[in-house]
Amino acid sequence: MNEQLDAVVVGAGFGGLYMLRRMKQMGLSVRAYEAGGGVGGTWYWNRYPGCRCDVESLDYSYSFDPELEQEWAWTDRYPSQPDVERYLNHVADRFGLRPDIQFDTRVTAARFDSGDGSWVVETDRGDSVRATFCVLAVGCLSARNVPAFPGIGSFEGPVVHTGAWPAEGVDFTGERVGVIGTGSSGVQAIPLIAEQARRLFVFQRTPHFVVPANNHPLSAAAVDERKAVYPSHREMLREGFFGFTLALNPRSALDATEEERRAVYEAAWQTGGPTLLGSFGDLLTDRAANDTAANFVRGKIASIVHDPKVAALLTPTDYPIGTKRLVQGTGYYETYNRDNVTLVDVRSDPIREITRNGLATGSSRYELDAIVCATGYDAVTGAVLALDVRGRDGVSLRDHWADGPRAYLGVAVAGFPNLFVITGPGSPSVVSNVVLSVEQHVDWIAGCIDFLRSEDLRSIEATGDAESAWMDHVGEVAAKTLFPATDSWYVGANIPGKPRVFMAYLGGVGPYRRRCDEVAARAYEGFVTRPAAEPAARASA
Ligand code: N01
């Protein structure tokens, strides 16, 4: 007989830890399974040089406990990977969460048993437990994408993905290193690898727009100032658009003169971070407005990079700025002025194969001692579908999502009773401060479970109609922006064969929260609930 729990939580990153905390507070019997050897999720695996968050520390942290918020001392404007990992370890200990987490254990399958309305959860360690609720807190950017380069297994040196960086580090001293990929991870790692390696070859397929992060130590005064107003600050973020501190100027870029725009963009460049995208109200909705910001950054690239041919290669030309994640860098463009760094354009001359001792493009060969894949993730859905999830009647989630991911409010899936996906497809997740979004989801799920228990209900399930209507809304909102047309991981374009759907909700975290709250206030409108005694039946959809 399998062990019977109230809930299983898959993952012990920001989402899993807080879900575990809430469920323990509610008195549920709960176990979290975590594939890593420690807590942190993304922040456990991404130990590559330069890894740092692109949301500010004072925003990228839990708000659920005022004492935690007051006592924790962030030191930098943007937290480094070790900073965030330390913080999450502190959270796990402070709230006594560790005993309920089984580490080094990957959940392989979650199957709904219609007979007793339980989820049967299985792991790669041979565990098989039953739980009334199953929460997938597997992360939006955790299923690594390692392209199937022919010959990759034959390379004699290390091949390291940025999202699976060895804890002991990698010493590139005196080596010839190839980095494939120039997104957020590559841009952070490249300047530091360049300082250590003898030679660095950067294999770039698509240039990203990179703005300065302008990270710096936080002054004690700045921290105190924020701590003094934390409750109202958090409330403002919750009601806002992105959920992080960003001044959004409503004015159109096209209403400003060239001189005004230049001054605004220059100030944003000096401030660093995402500031540039808040400079005018229509940068992400109007191509002509967007071009003004894109051209400003293009001018910066030309002014920083000495070799005009290299500068041209580094300059994005065929998509609007901000529609791929705006990358924040530190000394990134300057790195290409170093004698030991070579930029290789693998758009015009694609990678043909990895050989025993290097990499071959269509026309050239590069001898390498180590290869770094900064090649990103099968975002939002990859980590969910890595599990064999089966709902009512044995329907697999993979089949349900065959034409693109679908989830009501980004949290619940029709046909999968009592299954919750934290920051799932159709939630603001990856276009927001994900910690804030995680807290919203966890609180909403906890409220939902409370409701079921107080009403003596056994299960809740999104209807197909509610799910479809929500995904239509997500698509309609996205269609009003410049995002969907760009080949980005937001639309799954980086994964061959992945259905093209804009996967995040672009309506803003404030309006999203209100919609979720309304649904709850209307006794979970768009869901079907069933009483404890009645076996789960098909939801009307
Ligand atoms: O991944 P990416 P990432 N041949 O998908 C290239 C968050 N994050 O790990 O653009 C050659 O952005 C690919 O090229 P292309 C953040 O949300 C945050 O860097 O597809 N190249 C691209 O250049 C971010 O957006 C932080 O043409 C190939 C790169 O690999 C998200 O995670 C830090 C290729 C992948 O870029 C993902 O970022 C790190 C191939 N076959 C990550 N396949 C911060 O908070 C892929 N590429 C700062």
Side-chain angles (χ1 to χ4, degrees):
M1 187 68 189
N2 315 57
E3 185 183 1
Q4 178 78 46
L5 298 162
D6 290 324
V8 160
V9 175
V10 186
F14 267 103
L17 288 176
Y18 182 41
M19 191 77 252
L20 186 57
R21 156 85 175 150
R22 284 300 309 263
M23 287 179 157
K24 280 166 65 84
Q25 276 182 318
M26 291 161 73
L28 303 183
S29 58
V30 51
R31 178 162 317 127
Y33 290 105
E34 167 54 56
V39 300
T42 290
W43 298 103
Y44 174 86
W45 297 104
N46 279 265
R47 298 169 188 276
Y48 63 83
C51 181
R52 196 175 276 284
C53 188
D54 59 4
V55 176
E56 297 189 16
S57 314
L58 295 169
D59 292 345
Y60 195 84
S61 46
Y62 289 122
S63 66
F64 69 81
D65 186 278
E67 281 178 23
L68 170 69
E69 201 173 56
Q70 290 297 325
E71 79 191 12
W72 188 258
W74 294 107
T75 54
D76 284 7
R77 177 184 182 190
Y78 294 104
S80 67
Q81 178 272 331
D83 286 346
V84 185
E85 195 189 8
R86 228 181 346 263
Y87 171 74
L88 290 174
N89 272 288
H90 171 77
V91 169
D93 291 332
R94 193 182 197 289
F95 298 105
L97 304 179
R98 228 176 269 280
D100 297 299
I101 307 171
Q102 187 171 317
F103 292 102
D104 298 308
T105 307
R106 187 174 287 282
V107 171
T108 51
R111 180 170 47 82
F112 184 70
D113 180 345
S114 301
D116 71 349
S118 293
W119 281 90
V120 180
V121 178
E122 292 170 2
T123 77
D124 63 356
R125 293 280 199 107
D127 307 274
S128 178
V129 295
R130 284 179 174 270
T132 309
F133 300 101
C134 181
V135 180
L136 304 181
V138 290
C140 296
L141 291 158
S142 48
R144 294 181 282 275
N145 171 40
V146 180
F149 298 117
I152 194 163
S154 68
F155 186 65
E156 288 176 353
V159 179
V160 196
H161 191 283
T162 47
W165 205 262
E168 65 279 11
V170 185
D171 186 2
F172 296 117
T173 308
E175 298 202 328
R176 296 161 300 180
V177 181
V179 175
I180 305 170
T182 53
S184 297
S185 305
V187 163
Q188 287 187 323
I190 285 163
L192 295 171
I193 296 175
E195 283 174 14
Q196 201 181 49
R198 175 155 59 93
R199 286 295 308 273
L200 173 61
F201 296 92
V202 177
F203 299 96
Q204 173 193 272
R205 190 165 63 181
T206 313
H208 281 64
F209 287 97
V210 182
V211 297
N214 194 8
N215 181 49
H216 52 72
L218 286 170
S219 69
V223 173
D224 289 349
E225 209 175 292
R226 174 61 56 80
K227 285 185 175 176
V229 296
Y230 243 145
S232 58
H233 178 77
R234 300 283 201 188
E235 200 45 41
M236 182 188 75
L237 297 186
R238 284 187 201 108
E239 293 305 318
F241 192 86
F242 291 113
F244 51 76
T245 306
L246 176 65
L248 292 171
N249 176 3
R251 188 181 180 197
S252 164
L254 303 176
D255 288 344
T257 64
E258 177 63 35
E259 241 183 349
E260 285 171 329
R261 280 196 298 261
R262 170 152 282 283
V264 169
Y265 292 145
E266 184 58 41
W269 184 267
Q270 297 308 327
T271 305
T275 319
L276 189 85
L277 290 182
S279 299
F280 292 102
D282 49 0
L283 295 183
L284 295 173
T285 51
D286 183 299
R287 186 66 195 250
N290 185 285
D291 282 344
T292 64
N295 285 337
F296 173 82
V297 176
R298 292 180 185 124
K300 284 290 183 188
I301 300 169
S303 72
I304 296 169
V305 180
H306 298 163
D307 181 335
K309 283 201 194 109
V310 177
L313 271 183
L314 287 167
T315 302
T317 53
D318 57 358
Y319 64 92
I321 185 169
T323 57
K324 279 174 177 271
R325 175 83 163 204
L326 183 66
V327 175
Q328 300 181 23
T330 301
Y332 177 67
Y333 290 125
E334 289 82 349
T335 298
Y336 294 93
N337 295 332
R338 296 176 65 103
D339 291 338
N340 67 335
V341 176
T342 304
L343 181 66
V344 181
D345 174 21
V346 295
R347 164 78 63 199
S348 63
D349 187 15
I351 297 172
R352 183 161 46 85
E353 62 172 333
I354 309 277
T355 62
R356 194 174 54 75
N357 62 352
L359 181 156
T361 63
S363 71
S364 307
R365 300 183 85 84
Y366 300 87
E367 288 198 1
L368 302 171
D369 302 304
I371 294 175
V372 173
C373 289
T375 42
Y377 298 89
D378 181 353
V380 183
T381 57
V384 174
L385 294 179
L387 283 65
D388 183 16
V389 183
R390 289 179 189 265
R392 245 183 325 94
D393 306 327
V395 171
S396 86
L397 188 58
R398 186 169 284 280
D399 287 344
H400 187 66
W401 284 0
D403 297 328
R406 317 167 50 71
Y408 180 35
L409 302 175
V411 68
V413 185
F416 296 77
N418 290 4
L419 178 81
F420 300 100
V421 187
I422 293 187
T423 62
S427 74
S429 61
V430 289
V431 288
S432 69
N433 170 2
V434 80
V435 179
L436 179 142
S437 286
V438 152
E439 283 191 320
Q440 184 272 342
H441 262 183
V442 168
D443 289 339
W444 191 91
I445 294 165
C448 178
I449 293 174
D450 249 349
F451 167 81
L452 295 177
R453 295 205 307 168
S454 65
E455 301 289 316
D456 202 22
L457 295 165
R458 167 76 187 191
S459 77
I460 187 161
E461 177 184 345
T463 68
D465 284 350
E467 185 185 74
S468 294
W470 179 253
M471 292 316 288
D472 288 350
H473 175 57
V474 170
E476 281 157 15
V477 173
K480 291 183 188 144
T481 74
L482 300 173
F483 280 93
T486 295
D487 287 341
S488 68
W489 59 255
Y490 292 131
V491 296
N494 62 328
I495 303 297
K498 189 165 175 173
R500 191 180 180 112
V501 173
F502 190 83
M503 293 186 285
Y505 181 54
L506 274 171
V509 297
Y512 172 77
R513 173 184 301 271
R514 285 194 287 281
R515 180 72 195 123
C516 290
D517 290 348
E518 270 167 29
V519 165
R522 292 182 191 155
Y524 295 87
E525 183 181 47
F527 287 89
V528 170
T529 54
R530 295 185 184 83
E534 189 187 313
R538 180 176 294 281
S540 63

Short mmCIF file of all heavy atoms in Angstrom, two decimals, residues 43 48 52-55 141 145 147 149 162 180-186 188 203 205-206 208 324-325 328 346-347 351 374-377 489 494, ligand 1:
data_model
loop_
_atom_site.label_atom_id
_atom_site.label_comp_id
_atom_site.label_asym_id
_atom_site.label_seq_id
_atom_site.Cartn_x
_atom_site.Cartn_y
_atom_site.Cartn_z
N TRP A 43 18.55 28.37 -8.83
CA TRP A 43 19.69 28.97 -8.11
C TRP A 43 20.59 27.93 -7.48
O TRP A 43 21.62 28.28 -6.89
CB TRP A 43 19.17 29.98 -7.08
CG TRP A 43 18.43 31.07 -7.78
CD1 TRP A 43 17.08 31.24 -7.88
CD2 TRP A 43 19.01 32.11 -8.58
NE1 TRP A 43 16.78 32.32 -8.66
CE2 TRP A 43 17.95 32.88 -9.11
CE3 TRP A 43 20.33 32.49 -8.90
CZ2 TRP A 43 18.15 33.98 -9.93
CZ3 TRP A 43 20.54 33.59 -9.72
CH2 TRP A 43 19.45 34.31 -10.22
N TYR A 48 27.32 29.10 -12.93
CA TYR A 48 28.32 29.54 -13.93
C TYR A 48 28.91 30.90 -13.52
O TYR A 48 28.29 31.66 -12.76
CB TYR A 48 27.69 29.58 -15.32
CG TYR A 48 26.55 30.57 -15.48
CD1 TYR A 48 26.78 31.92 -15.73
CD2 TYR A 48 25.22 30.16 -15.37
CE1 TYR A 48 25.74 32.83 -15.87
CE2 TYR A 48 24.17 31.05 -15.51
CZ TYR A 48 24.45 32.39 -15.77
OH TYR A 48 23.42 33.29 -15.90
N ARG A 52 23.97 35.98 -12.01
CA ARG A 52 23.38 37.01 -11.16
C ARG A 52 21.96 37.27 -11.65
O ARG A 52 21.72 37.17 -12.87
CB ARG A 52 24.23 38.29 -11.31
CG ARG A 52 24.04 39.35 -10.28
CD ARG A 52 25.04 40.49 -10.52
NE ARG A 52 26.35 40.26 -9.94
CZ ARG A 52 26.68 40.36 -8.66
NH1 ARG A 52 25.75 40.72 -7.78
NH2 ARG A 52 27.90 40.13 -8.25
N CYS A 53 21.08 37.60 -10.79
CA CYS A 53 19.69 37.85 -11.18
C CYS A 53 19.57 39.19 -11.91
O CYS A 53 20.38 40.09 -11.69
CB CYS A 53 18.82 37.86 -9.92
SG CYS A 53 17.08 37.94 -10.27
N ASP A 54 18.56 39.32 -12.76
CA ASP A 54 18.36 40.61 -13.42
C ASP A 54 17.15 41.37 -12.85
O ASP A 54 16.67 42.32 -13.44
CB ASP A 54 18.28 40.47 -14.95
CG ASP A 54 17.15 39.55 -15.40
OD1 ASP A 54 16.38 39.08 -14.55
OD2 ASP A 54 17.04 39.31 -16.62
N VAL A 55 16.68 40.89 -11.69
CA VAL A 55 15.68 41.66 -10.93
C VAL A 55 16.36 42.04 -9.61
O VAL A 55 17.12 41.25 -9.04
CB VAL A 55 14.41 40.81 -10.66
CG1 VAL A 55 13.42 41.56 -9.77
CG2 VAL A 55 13.75 40.42 -11.98
N LEU A 141 12.37 27.91 -16.19
CA LEU A 141 13.61 27.88 -16.97
C LEU A 141 14.53 26.87 -16.32
O LEU A 141 15.56 27.22 -15.75
CB LEU A 141 14.22 29.28 -17.00
CG LEU A 141 13.42 30.30 -17.82
CD1 LEU A 141 13.74 31.73 -17.41
CD2 LEU A 141 13.68 30.12 -19.32
N ASN A 145 18.26 23.07 -22.51
CA ASN A 145 18.28 22.79 -23.95
C ASN A 145 19.73 22.58 -24.38
O ASN A 145 20.51 23.54 -24.39
CB ASN A 145 17.66 23.97 -24.72
CG ASN A 145 17.86 23.83 -26.22
OD1 ASN A 145 17.74 22.73 -26.77
ND2 ASN A 145 18.17 24.93 -26.87
N PRO A 147 21.39 21.51 -27.67
CA PRO A 147 21.08 21.14 -29.05
C PRO A 147 21.80 19.85 -29.45
O PRO A 147 22.91 19.59 -28.98
CB PRO A 147 21.58 22.33 -29.87
CG PRO A 147 21.64 23.46 -28.90
CD PRO A 147 21.97 22.85 -27.57
N PHE A 149 23.88 18.65 -31.43
CA PHE A 149 24.96 18.83 -32.41
C PHE A 149 25.54 17.46 -32.75
O PHE A 149 25.90 16.70 -31.82
CB PHE A 149 26.08 19.72 -31.85
CG PHE A 149 25.63 21.12 -31.51
CD1 PHE A 149 25.68 21.57 -30.18
CD2 PHE A 149 25.19 21.98 -32.49
CE1 PHE A 149 25.28 22.86 -29.86
CE2 PHE A 149 24.78 23.27 -32.17
CZ PHE A 149 24.83 23.71 -30.86
N THR A 162 25.36 25.92 -18.90
CA THR A 162 25.36 26.92 -17.82
C THR A 162 24.39 26.55 -16.69
O THR A 162 24.63 26.90 -15.53
CB THR A 162 24.97 28.31 -18.36
OG1 THR A 162 23.80 28.15 -19.19
CG2 THR A 162 26.09 28.94 -19.18
N ILE A 180 28.80 28.58 -26.75
CA ILE A 180 27.71 28.60 -27.73
C ILE A 180 26.52 29.27 -27.08
O ILE A 180 26.01 28.79 -26.05
CB ILE A 180 27.33 27.17 -28.17
CG1 ILE A 180 28.56 26.42 -28.69
CG2 ILE A 180 26.23 27.20 -29.22
CD1 ILE A 180 28.34 24.92 -28.91
N GLY A 181 26.07 30.39 -27.64
CA GLY A 181 24.88 31.05 -27.10
C GLY A 181 25.20 32.38 -26.47
O GLY A 181 26.18 32.51 -25.70
N THR A 182 24.38 33.36 -26.78
CA THR A 182 24.63 34.72 -26.31
C THR A 182 23.36 35.35 -25.72
O THR A 182 23.08 36.52 -25.94
CB THR A 182 25.17 35.60 -27.47
OG1 THR A 182 24.26 35.48 -28.57
CG2 THR A 182 26.55 35.16 -27.90
N GLY A 183 22.59 34.54 -24.99
CA GLY A 183 21.45 35.08 -24.24
C GLY A 183 21.92 35.54 -22.87
O GLY A 183 23.13 35.77 -22.64
N SER A 184 21.01 35.64 -21.91
CA SER A 184 21.35 36.17 -20.58
C SER A 184 22.50 35.39 -19.94
O SER A 184 23.40 35.99 -19.32
CB SER A 184 20.15 36.11 -19.66
OG SER A 184 19.11 36.90 -20.14
N SER A 185 22.48 34.06 -20.07
CA SER A 185 23.52 33.25 -19.42
C SER A 185 24.87 33.49 -20.09
O SER A 185 25.88 33.74 -19.42
CB SER A 185 23.17 31.76 -19.49
OG SER A 185 21.89 31.52 -18.97
N GLY A 186 24.90 33.37 -21.42
CA GLY A 186 26.15 33.56 -22.14
C GLY A 186 26.73 34.94 -21.89
O GLY A 186 27.93 35.09 -21.63
N GLN A 188 26.46 36.85 -19.37
CA GLN A 188 27.06 37.00 -18.04
C GLN A 188 28.37 36.23 -17.93
O GLN A 188 29.32 36.68 -17.29
CB GLN A 188 26.08 36.48 -16.97
CG GLN A 188 24.90 37.41 -16.77
CD GLN A 188 24.03 37.01 -15.60
OE1 GLN A 188 23.82 35.82 -15.34
NE2 GLN A 188 23.51 37.98 -14.89
N PHE A 203 30.33 31.51 -30.15
CA PHE A 203 29.54 31.11 -31.31
C PHE A 203 28.15 31.70 -31.17
O PHE A 203 27.35 31.25 -30.35
CB PHE A 203 29.51 29.58 -31.41
CG PHE A 203 30.90 28.99 -31.59
CD1 PHE A 203 31.62 28.52 -30.49
CD2 PHE A 203 31.49 28.96 -32.84
CE1 PHE A 203 32.90 28.02 -30.64
CE2 PHE A 203 32.79 28.45 -33.00
CZ PHE A 203 33.50 27.98 -31.89
N ARG A 205 24.49 32.85 -32.74
CA ARG A 205 23.52 32.68 -33.83
C ARG A 205 22.71 33.96 -34.00
O ARG A 205 22.58 34.48 -35.09
CB ARG A 205 22.61 31.49 -33.54
CG ARG A 205 21.74 31.12 -34.72
CD ARG A 205 21.12 29.76 -34.57
NE ARG A 205 20.21 29.69 -33.42
CZ ARG A 205 19.57 28.60 -33.06
NH1 ARG A 205 19.73 27.47 -33.74
NH2 ARG A 205 18.76 28.61 -32.01
N THR A 206 22.18 34.47 -32.89
CA THR A 206 21.38 35.71 -32.96
C THR A 206 21.93 36.69 -31.92
O THR A 206 22.01 36.34 -30.73
CB THR A 206 19.90 35.44 -32.60
OG1 THR A 206 19.45 34.29 -33.32
CG2 THR A 206 19.03 36.63 -32.93
N HIS A 208 21.80 39.46 -29.17
CA HIS A 208 20.79 39.99 -28.26
C HIS A 208 21.09 41.47 -28.02
O HIS A 208 22.23 41.90 -28.12
CB HIS A 208 20.83 39.25 -26.92
CG HIS A 208 20.14 37.92 -26.95
ND1 HIS A 208 20.56 36.88 -27.71
CD2 HIS A 208 19.04 37.48 -26.29
CE1 HIS A 208 19.76 35.84 -27.52
NE2 HIS A 208 18.83 36.18 -26.66
N LYS A 324 12.82 39.68 -27.23
CA LYS A 324 13.56 38.61 -26.58
C LYS A 324 13.91 39.23 -25.25
O LYS A 324 14.03 40.46 -25.15
CB LYS A 324 14.87 38.29 -27.32
CG LYS A 324 14.72 37.39 -28.54
CD LYS A 324 16.08 37.30 -29.22
CE LYS A 324 16.11 36.39 -30.41
NZ LYS A 324 16.42 35.00 -30.12
N ARG A 325 14.11 38.42 -24.22
CA ARG A 325 14.43 38.99 -22.91
C ARG A 325 15.57 40.01 -23.04
O ARG A 325 16.63 39.68 -23.60
CB ARG A 325 14.86 37.85 -21.99
CG ARG A 325 15.33 38.27 -20.63
CD ARG A 325 14.16 38.48 -19.72
NE ARG A 325 14.58 38.50 -18.33
CZ ARG A 325 13.78 38.21 -17.32
NH1 ARG A 325 12.52 37.88 -17.53
NH2 ARG A 325 14.22 38.26 -16.09
N GLN A 328 20.94 41.87 -19.55
CA GLN A 328 21.75 42.81 -18.79
C GLN A 328 23.16 42.26 -18.68
O GLN A 328 23.35 41.11 -18.27
CB GLN A 328 21.16 42.99 -17.40
CG GLN A 328 19.74 43.52 -17.44
CD GLN A 328 19.16 43.71 -16.05
OE1 GLN A 328 19.90 43.85 -15.08
NE2 GLN A 328 17.85 43.73 -15.97
N VAL A 346 27.46 32.02 -36.30
CA VAL A 346 26.96 30.71 -36.72
C VAL A 346 25.54 30.80 -37.29
O VAL A 346 24.87 29.79 -37.45
CB VAL A 346 27.07 29.64 -35.60
CG1 VAL A 346 28.51 29.36 -35.27
CG2 VAL A 346 26.28 30.03 -34.36
N ARG A 347 25.12 32.03 -37.56
CA ARG A 347 23.88 32.20 -38.34
C ARG A 347 24.21 31.97 -39.81
O ARG A 347 23.59 31.16 -40.48
CB ARG A 347 23.32 33.61 -38.12
CG ARG A 347 22.28 34.07 -39.11
CD ARG A 347 20.90 33.51 -38.84
NE ARG A 347 20.41 33.97 -37.54
CZ ARG A 347 19.43 33.38 -36.88
NH1 ARG A 347 18.86 32.29 -37.39
NH2 ARG A 347 19.02 33.84 -35.73
N ILE A 351 26.88 25.74 -37.06
CA ILE A 351 27.67 24.66 -36.46
C ILE A 351 27.29 23.36 -37.18
O ILE A 351 26.11 23.01 -37.27
CB ILE A 351 27.37 24.55 -34.95
CG1 ILE A 351 27.80 25.83 -34.24
CG2 ILE A 351 28.06 23.31 -34.34
CD1 ILE A 351 27.37 25.93 -32.77
N ALA A 374 25.63 27.70 -23.55
CA ALA A 374 24.75 28.70 -22.92
C ALA A 374 23.51 28.75 -23.80
O ALA A 374 23.09 29.81 -24.25
CB ALA A 374 25.46 30.04 -22.85
N THR A 375 22.96 27.58 -24.06
CA THR A 375 21.95 27.41 -25.10
C THR A 375 20.51 27.40 -24.57
O THR A 375 19.59 27.04 -25.30
CB THR A 375 22.24 26.11 -25.89
OG1 THR A 375 22.60 25.07 -24.96
CG2 THR A 375 23.40 26.30 -26.85
N GLY A 376 20.35 27.77 -23.33
CA GLY A 376 19.02 28.06 -22.82
C GLY A 376 18.19 26.86 -22.41
O GLY A 376 18.72 25.79 -22.08
N TYR A 377 16.87 27.05 -22.48
CA TYR A 377 15.92 26.12 -21.84
C TYR A 377 14.71 25.86 -22.72
O TYR A 377 14.33 26.71 -23.54
CB TYR A 377 15.45 26.74 -20.51
CG TYR A 377 16.62 26.92 -19.58
CD1 TYR A 377 17.36 28.10 -19.61
CD2 TYR A 377 17.02 25.89 -18.74
CE1 TYR A 377 18.49 28.24 -18.81
CE2 TYR A 377 18.13 26.03 -17.94
CZ TYR A 377 18.87 27.20 -17.98
OH TYR A 377 19.98 27.33 -17.20
N TRP A 489 12.31 32.27 -26.86
CA TRP A 489 11.84 31.14 -26.06
C TRP A 489 10.46 31.40 -25.47
O TRP A 489 9.75 30.49 -25.09
CB TRP A 489 12.86 30.72 -25.00
CG TRP A 489 13.27 31.76 -23.97
CD1 TRP A 489 14.46 32.43 -23.93
CD2 TRP A 489 12.52 32.19 -22.83
NE1 TRP A 489 14.48 33.28 -22.84
CE2 TRP A 489 13.30 33.14 -22.15
CE3 TRP A 489 11.27 31.86 -22.31
CZ2 TRP A 489 12.87 33.78 -20.97
CZ3 TRP A 489 10.83 32.50 -21.15
CH2 TRP A 489 11.64 33.44 -20.50
N ASN A 494 12.82 28.40 -29.79
CA ASN A 494 14.19 27.86 -29.65
C ASN A 494 14.21 26.33 -29.60
O ASN A 494 15.28 25.74 -29.63
CB ASN A 494 14.85 28.42 -28.37
CG ASN A 494 14.10 28.02 -27.11
OD1 ASN A 494 12.89 27.86 -27.13
ND2 ASN A 494 14.81 27.84 -26.02
O1 N01 B 1 19.06 31.15 -22.84
P1 N01 B 1 18.54 31.91 -24.14
P2 N01 B 1 19.75 31.76 -21.53
N1 N01 B 1 23.19 26.83 -32.27
O2 N01 B 1 17.51 31.01 -24.75
C1 N01 B 1 21.67 30.03 -28.63
C2 N01 B 1 16.77 33.75 -17.72
N2 N01 B 1 18.10 34.08 -17.23
O3 N01 B 1 20.10 30.63 -20.64
O4 N01 B 1 18.84 33.32 -30.10
C3 N01 B 1 23.66 28.02 -31.92
O5 N01 B 1 18.16 33.31 -23.89
C4 N01 B 1 20.53 30.97 -28.85
O6 N01 B 1 20.53 31.50 -30.15
P3 N01 B 1 19.14 32.03 -30.81
C5 N01 B 1 16.29 34.87 -18.62
O7 N01 B 1 14.90 34.98 -18.53
C6 N01 B 1 18.21 35.17 -16.48
O8 N01 B 1 20.81 32.70 -21.90
O9 N01 B 1 18.11 30.98 -30.52
N3 N01 B 1 23.16 28.76 -30.92
C7 N01 B 1 20.81 32.00 -27.77
O10 N01 B 1 21.80 32.89 -28.15
C8 N01 B 1 16.73 34.37 -19.96
O11 N01 B 1 16.07 34.96 -21.05
C9 N01 B 1 19.44 35.56 -16.05
O12 N01 B 1 19.44 32.16 -32.24
C10 N01 B 1 22.14 28.25 -30.24
C11 N01 B 1 21.35 31.12 -26.65
O13 N01 B 1 21.80 29.92 -27.24
C12 N01 B 1 16.48 32.91 -19.84
O14 N01 B 1 16.85 32.59 -18.50
C13 N01 B 1 20.58 34.83 -16.36
C14 N01 B 1 21.59 27.01 -30.53
C15 N01 B 1 20.29 30.78 -25.63
O15 N01 B 1 19.82 31.95 -25.06
C16 N01 B 1 17.28 32.04 -20.76
O16 N01 B 1 18.60 32.58 -20.88
C17 N01 B 1 20.43 33.71 -17.13
C18 N01 B 1 22.17 26.29 -31.62
N4 N01 B 1 21.67 25.11 -31.99
C19 N01 B 1 19.19 33.34 -17.57
N5 N01 B 1 20.58 26.77 -29.68
C20 N01 B 1 19.51 36.79 -15.25
O17 N01 B 1 18.69 36.99 -14.39
C21 N01 B 1 20.50 27.83 -28.87
N6 N01 B 1 21.44 28.74 -29.23
C22 N01 B 1 20.49 37.76 -15.59
#
